[in-house]
Amino acid sequence: APAEDEITAWVDRLREIACPSLIIHAGRDVVTSPRNTLPIERGIRGAKGILWEDVAHVVAGKEQKVRFAQTLFDWLAAN
């Protein structure tokens, strides 16, 4: 596991990102849960975060894929 100072340095580097960023938090993700993705959203200035409580690590099934595509296209159109 990385040392805490390595994680802090990585999170601090997020401030260097200057482009629009969309972070989708998957509420049922046991691999990269919102506990891991919320610091990414908070670290990137102006990032937009969306919590999908019903999604796991992989966007699966037609309904979730359509939802993902629509969310992405809407975000891209606005940015």
Side-chain angles (χ1 to χ4, degrees), residues 14-36:
L14 292 171
R15 295 185 191 122
E16 298 173 20
I17 297 173
C19 64
S21 302
L22 174 64
I23 313 297
I24 298 175
H25 310 285
R28 292 185 167 183
D29 190 340
V30 296
V31 178
T32 53
S33 70
R35 179 187 67 174
N36 297 319

Side-chain angles (χ1 to χ4, degrees), residues 3-64:
E4 189 171 327
D5 59 330
E6 291 175 355
I7 294 171
T8 300
W10 176 79
V11 171
D12 286 347
R13 290 207 58 205
L14 292 171
R15 295 185 191 122
E16 298 173 20
I17 297 173
C19 64
S21 302
L22 174 64
I23 313 297
I24 298 175
H25 310 285
R28 292 185 167 183
D29 190 340
V30 296
V31 178
T32 53
S33 70
R35 179 187 67 174
N36 297 319
T37 58
L38 282 168
I40 296 170
E41 177 189 348
R42 291 180 189 130
I44 300 173
R45 188 175 345 163
K48 176 178 175 67
I50 300 171
L51 173 61
W52 287 356
E53 293 186 22
D54 60 331
V55 174
H57 189 70
V58 176
V59 175
K62 183 179 179 181
E63 184 179 309
Q64 286 185 359

